[in-house]
């Protein structure tokens, strides 16, 4: 656990004072912190000549997507066709950073390409063929970014030669065009000061692919990469033309424990009510796995399922569907039954997807319900 788990003013969260009447568990979002996070990332990208294309998986909200666009984002990133359809109302430039190849999904993306610029990351000939057939049938065109694996080992081809082969295939296929390369350095969780060699390896891998493409007459006009943990070091990956951080808009305990932000940068939190203290050394809150998900904290896997800033000695140790069991045995004072506590989740993105709406909190104003527009858009 970090030595200081309170926000700079010593309070749980800036929203808490205005949320006493909200039904719990309630996902609340501090508007001022959110705007500050958006501006900071936009300013960084502009200062380093990078296009910012935030991943909307974190907020899934057209309202927040528009705030990002207004702050200078050049487009938006999504994972699924349903998200693309929703976010296409906020930006006319959409990147689907996820393999799309099933019939229903590619048809929807091809249809969206009639009114927006649509690009899709691919790492197989099967995906290229499916997207091309759908786009041809819809009389549209879909841009392709060939995904290159730079270390995560999840998706993306493993070599520059494989990336070139896909580019050559796509260049001879009606309905699609080659726009460049994409990578995701999601394996990099080292502290910012120690990321240099890891990012240089990513840079070298991309540069090698770009050089090979160039020698065969292909241009990687777009080189898309980035993540929240590496976001402010993205300039060290020289081939990047754009970055796609997502979590930065809200932050969470992953980014706090990783040293990439402070608790004062966490814009989203979940207010819960203590419903039981019947078991010695424990209280139970009304948020379980259907509120927080069971994600552990990547940089601190033994830290529990979230942080309760007002009670830094407490640990949210176990989640069942509707119960959150909090070990308070190390607390000088623990929350009482009926008390509301604020929890910063480990991973905010899936928590947002579990909500129909979040509460948008402006200073000295009543919270406003904002729909999670792309909630449950899993296809």
């Amino acid at each position: 656990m970090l030595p200081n788990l309170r926000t700079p003013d010593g309070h749980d969260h800036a929203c808490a004072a205005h949320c006493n009447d909200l039904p719990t568990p309630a996902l609340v979002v501090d508007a001022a912190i959110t705007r500050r996070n958006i501006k900071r990332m936009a300013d960084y990208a502009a200062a380093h000549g990078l296009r910012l294309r935030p991943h909307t998986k974190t907020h899934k909200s057209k309202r927040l997507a528009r705030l990002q666009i207004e702050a200078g984002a050049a487009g938006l990133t999504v994972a699924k066709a349903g998200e693309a359809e929703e976010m296409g109302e906020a930006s006319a430039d959409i990147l689907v950073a996820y393999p799309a190849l099933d019939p229903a999904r590619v048809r929807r993306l091809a249809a969206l390409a009639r009114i927006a610029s649509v690009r899709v990351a691919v790492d197989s000939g099967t995906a290229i063929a499916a997207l091309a057939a759908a786009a041809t049938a819809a009389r549209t065109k879909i841009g392709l970014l060939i995904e290159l694996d730079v270390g995560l080992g999840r998706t993306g081809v493993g070599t520059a030669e494989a990336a070139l082969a896909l580019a050559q295939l796509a260049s001879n296929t009606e309905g699609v065009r080659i726009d460049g390369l994409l990578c995701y350095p999601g394996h990099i969780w080292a502290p910012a000061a120690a990321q240099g060699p890891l990012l240089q390896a990513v840079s070298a891998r991309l540069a090698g692919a770009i050089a090979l493409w160039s020698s065969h007459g292909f241009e990687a006009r777009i080189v898309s990469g980035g993540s929240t943990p590496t976001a402010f070091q993205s300039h060290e990956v020289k081939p990047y033309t754009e970055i796609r951080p997502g979590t930065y808009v809200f932050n969470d305990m992953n980014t706090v424990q990783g040293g990439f932000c402070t608790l004062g940068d966490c814009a989203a939190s979940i207010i819960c009510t203590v419903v039981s203290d019947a078991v010695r050394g424990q209280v139970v809150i009304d948020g379980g796995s259907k509120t927080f998900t069971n994600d552990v904290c990547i940089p601190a896997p033994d830290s529990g399922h979230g942080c309760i800033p007002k009670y830094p000695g407490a640990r949210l140790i176990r989640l069942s569907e509707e119960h959150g069991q909090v070990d308070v045995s190390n607390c000088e004072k623990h929350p009482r039954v009926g008390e509301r506590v604020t929890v910063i989740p480990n991973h905010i993105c899936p928590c947002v997807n579990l909500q129909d709406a979040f509460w948008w909190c402006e200073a000295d104003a009543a919270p406003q319900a904002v729909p999670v527009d792309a909630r449950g858009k899993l296809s």
Side-chain angles (χ1 to χ4, degrees):
M1 193 67 81
L2 295 180
N4 179 12
L5 287 179
R6 293 201 177 188
T7 52
D9 60 5
H11 296 292
D12 285 337
H13 194 278
C15 299
H18 304 289
C19 296
N20 292 331
D21 294 328
L22 295 181
T24 62
L27 174 61
V28 295
V29 175
D30 187 299
I33 297 174
T34 302
R35 290 193 186 96
R36 187 178 73 210
N37 291 344
I38 289 172
K39 183 178 186 303
R40 183 184 178 210
M41 191 65 71
D43 288 350
Y44 166 82
H48 292 279
L50 292 164
R51 285 164 53 96
L52 176 62
R53 186 187 293 278
H55 205 310
T56 61
K57 68 184 179 68
T58 300
H59 56 69
K60 287 182 165 256
S61 160
K62 289 182 281 193
R63 178 170 179 166
L64 290 192
R66 290 186 180 106
L67 288 180
Q68 291 172 315
I69 294 293
E70 289 166 7
L76 299 172
T77 303
V78 301
K80 302 297 180 68
E83 293 174 333
E85 289 164 342
E86 292 290 342
M87 296 305 153
E89 297 181 24
S91 172
D93 195 330
I94 301 293
L95 167 63
V96 183
Y98 189 91
L101 49 88
D102 61 280
R105 192 173 306 182
V106 296
R107 283 197 299 268
R108 292 162 72 184
L109 293 175
L112 182 61
R114 295 191 185 106
I115 59 173
S117 172
V118 175
R119 296 183 179 89
V120 181
V122 297
D123 66 359
S124 70
T126 302
I128 292 172
L131 288 162
T136 300
R139 297 183 179 180
T140 57
K141 184 157 283 193
I142 294 174
L144 302 180
L145 299 183
I146 307 301
E147 183 173 1
L148 182 68
D149 178 24
V150 293
L152 182 60
R154 187 173 67 183
T155 54
V157 295
T159 65
E161 290 76 15
L164 173 63
L166 290 179
Q168 291 170 326
L169 172 63
S171 69
N172 293 310
T173 303
E174 184 182 355
V176 294
R177 68 176 183 274
I178 287 294
D179 286 344
L181 288 160
L182 176 143
C183 74
Y184 175 53
H187 61 296
I188 300 178
W189 280 86
Q195 289 181 9
L198 299 169
L199 292 173
Q200 288 162 20
V202 171
S203 189
R205 196 162 178 78
L206 289 169
I210 291 167
L212 182 63
W213 276 30
S214 180
S215 70
H216 286 77
F218 289 95
E219 178 188 6
R221 185 169 56 86
I222 296 172
V223 181
S224 180
S227 66
T228 291
T230 64
F232 292 104
Q233 292 72 244
S234 295
H235 57 280
E236 296 190 37
V237 183
K238 303 303 181 185
Y240 279 173
T241 64
E242 68 175 38
I243 55 174
R244 311 183 313 275
T247 306
Y248 80 95
V249 68
F250 289 156
N251 287 307
D252 53 24
M253 289 312 297
N254 276 333
T255 52
V256 171
Q257 294 278 27
F260 310 118
C261 71
T262 69
L263 273 184
D265 298 316
C266 290
S269 60
I270 298 175
I271 298 176
C272 296
T273 299
V274 176
V275 295
S276 174
D277 64 356
V279 176
R280 184 178 178 85
Q282 171 184 282
V283 300
V284 176
I285 58 177
D286 60 353
S289 62
K290 289 181 176 178
T291 299
F292 292 101
T293 82
N294 278 297
D295 286 17
V296 298
C297 184
I298 294 172
D302 297 326
S303 62
H305 293 284
C307 167
I308 304 175
K310 187 176 178 180
Y311 298 96
R315 290 179 64 243
L316 182 54
I317 57 171
R318 187 173 296 111
L319 301 175
S320 47
E321 289 187 60
E322 305 292 356
H323 300 73
Q325 293 172 244
V326 182
D327 180 354
V328 295
S329 59
N330 291 322
C331 296
E332 295 181 9
K333 179 182 178 183
H334 63 74
R336 64 188 183 280
V337 172
E339 182 177 345
R340 292 183 171 217
V341 294
T342 298
V343 184
I344 309 294
N346 285 337
H347 188 188
I348 189 60
C349 307
C351 296
V352 173
N353 190 55
L354 292 168
Q355 306 289 330
D356 289 323
F358 56 81
W359 295 96
W360 182 252
C361 300
E362 299 279 5
D364 301 319
Q368 178 185 11
V370 174
V372 180
D373 302 292
R375 184 199 176 189
K377 302 294 185 181
L378 303 179
S379 61

